[in-house]
Structure formats: C-alpha cells, structure tokens
Amino acid sequence: MSNFLNEYLSPLGIIKLESDGEYLTGLWFDKSKDSNKHMVNNEYKNLSIFDETKKWLDIYFSGFNPGFTPKYKVKTTEFQKSVYEIMLKIPYGKTITYSDIAKEIANARGIKKMSAQAIGHAVGTNQICIIIPCHRVMGANNSLTGYGGGILNKIKLLELEGIDTSSFVMPRK
C-alpha cells in the first residue's frame, strides 16, 4: 500500500500532509521533531482528503473552529487511542493538563492513579497535529512542555485560538 504526501503553506510555515489514499494518516510541521514519526519516501499527489484537510486548515488559521474533522486513521495502541479521544474533546480555545487526562483515564479504568508521564508519552505519539489538538495539553504549573511541532508553534496555535499565553511557562532545557 502506498502513502501519499502533500503540503500546506500555513502562517507558521509548511505543514506536511500524509494519506493512505483515503484517510489522512499524518499532519506535521515540516522539519520539526514530528517529522520522525512519518515516512519520507512518499509520492506527492492531490487527493480529496488533502483538499478536505486544507479546507479545515484554512478555517483554523483564519482564527475559527472548523466545526468538522477530516477523516483520519492513526495507528495507536488502545491506551494511546483513549488519550487521543480525550484530546479530541478539548474545546477550541481551552487547555487541559497531562494530569487532567491521567485523572480522566484513571477514573474510566477504575484505578486510583495514572502516570502523567505515560500520558505525555501517548500525547507525543500523535501523528496528526493541530487536528488532534495535542497543542492544547499543558504540563504542570502551566508549563508549555512537550510539543513535537516546536514550542513557539504551540504558543502561536494557542494564541490563534484566543488563549492568553502570558501565564504559561517555557520549559527548562
């Protein structure tokens, strides 16, 4: 099975789009850490899923909630899928913490505690940035930690959604 690529020129730079021919299977900032999660020997092609995704991105980068989600498919474990489902419920213009997700999963599983680090690892496997909004997940004490697309892009995405980032803390190196 072939995978196909396309590009979107966003206000934050080139965003790569990947598809299996039917579904969106990847979305990432070009030359970011997230590039390592994707195949690089793909054929460039125009597909309807890319048109749908670009429409979503056009609306999003115009400062609005697109109100729909392009059809996508990601390879995940059940645990990662449960984390992704929570991220997809984070409202446009809002944030939650890794700890918030950990508490929700612990409650759903009927266990006392879930590791925020395990949540961070699952969030870090996200193959479809922005649409699966991992940029809306913060570390403890408003830390802007953990964004494969780059911390500066994370800040710009949050500001685009109307979030005041002045109280957020840059991660220590």
Side-chain angles (χ1 to χ4, degrees), residues 102-120:
K103 288 174 188 167
E104 186 170 334
I105 289 179
N107 288 338
R109 292 183 171 197
I111 58 177
K112 191 172 184 176
K113 190 173 180 182
M114 170 64 62
S115 163
Q117 287 82 6
I119 301 303

Side-chain angles (χ1 to χ4, degrees), residues 12-157:
L12 306 180
I14 294 172
I15 293 177
K16 298 281 191 172
L17 293 79
E18 183 178 46
S19 174
D20 62 4
E22 183 178 354
Y23 295 94
L24 183 69
T25 57
L27 184 82
W28 69 96
F29 287 97
D30 189 32
K31 298 184 175 104
S32 69
K33 288 182 189 175
D34 281 344
S35 298
N36 300 331
K37 300 176 194 170
H38 304 278
M39 299 177 68
V40 292
N41 296 323
N42 296 333
E43 172 189 347
Y44 275 79
K45 191 168 186 176
N46 291 321
L47 299 169
S48 61
I49 187 59
F50 291 146
D51 293 338
E52 182 183 355
T53 303
K54 288 176 182 182
K55 179 180 177 185
W56 190 98
L57 290 166
D58 283 344
I59 295 167
Y60 180 83
F61 282 111
S62 294
F64 298 99
N65 182 355
F68 70 96
T69 303
K71 60 183 186 171
Y72 68 88
K73 184 175 8 175
V74 290
K75 294 178 184 174
T76 64
T77 65
E78 283 302 312
F79 177 69
Q80 291 166 340
K81 182 180 177 188
S82 64
V83 172
Y84 287 19
E85 288 171 353
I86 293 169
M87 285 191 294
L88 285 163
K89 293 188 299 185
I90 306 168
Y92 179 92
K94 302 290 182 191
T95 63
I96 64 173
T97 66
Y98 294 100
S99 179
D100 293 332
I101 296 174
K103 288 174 188 167
E104 186 170 334
I105 289 179
N107 288 338
R109 292 183 171 197
I111 58 177
K112 191 172 184 176
K113 190 173 180 182
M114 170 64 62
S115 163
Q117 287 82 6
I119 301 303
H121 178 72
V123 170
T125 66
N126 182 12
Q127 301 147 31
I128 301 180
C129 77
I130 308 173
I131 293 173
I132 299 176
C134 54
H135 63 280
R136 296 181 190 148
V137 182
M138 301 293 123
N141 302 316
N142 282 335
S143 173
L144 286 164
T145 188
Y147 189 63
I151 296 298
L152 295 179
N153 282 340
K154 181 173 187 161
I155 292 167
K156 290 175 183 172
L157 293 171

Side-chain angles (χ1 to χ4, degrees), residues 93 95 142 144 155 158-168:
T95 63
N142 282 335
L144 286 164
I155 292 167
L158 295 170
E159 289 173 344
L160 178 72
E161 294 185 22
I163 297 171
D164 178 6
T165 61
S166 63
S167 66
F168 292 131

